[in-house]
Amino acid sequence: MNNILEFRAKCPQDENLSDCREALEPHVMKIVAEAVGRGYSPAEAAMVVADIADDYILMLSRELRH
């Protein structure tokens, strides 16, 4: 699998976000690799991870409104 770091967008405004990504990225890549090992394509696995993250963000935004 390619190193995802080369595709990372530069986001200088928040070092905390960068630190969080650095901490979580290996775990996400492991999830994707495990899904690929079960027969899913890398794109499918990454899309599902992104979809799950998006659902979680939407849930958090609904909680903030209440």
Side-chain angles (χ1 to χ4, degrees):
M1 209 175 276
N2 291 337
N3 183 346
I4 197 83
L5 295 176
E6 67 189 76
F7 301 107
R8 182 182 293 181
K10 302 298 179 208
C11 189
Q13 81 262 11
D14 191 357
E15 196 166 308
N16 191 41
L17 184 60
S18 178
D19 291 344
C20 184
R21 181 176 178 137
E22 187 176 323
L24 294 179
E25 191 166 27
H27 302 288
V28 172
M29 296 308 292
K30 182 179 177 187
I31 290 168
V32 170
E34 287 175 5
V36 169
R38 293 180 179 172
Y40 299 100
S41 73
E44 284 177 308
M47 183 61 74
V48 169
V49 169
D51 192 43
I52 292 167
D54 188 49
D55 288 346
Y56 188 71
I57 291 167
L58 291 172
M59 182 201 66
L60 291 174
S61 72
R62 284 191 297 269
E63 287 178 1
L64 291 174
R65 285 187 240 152
H66 293 108

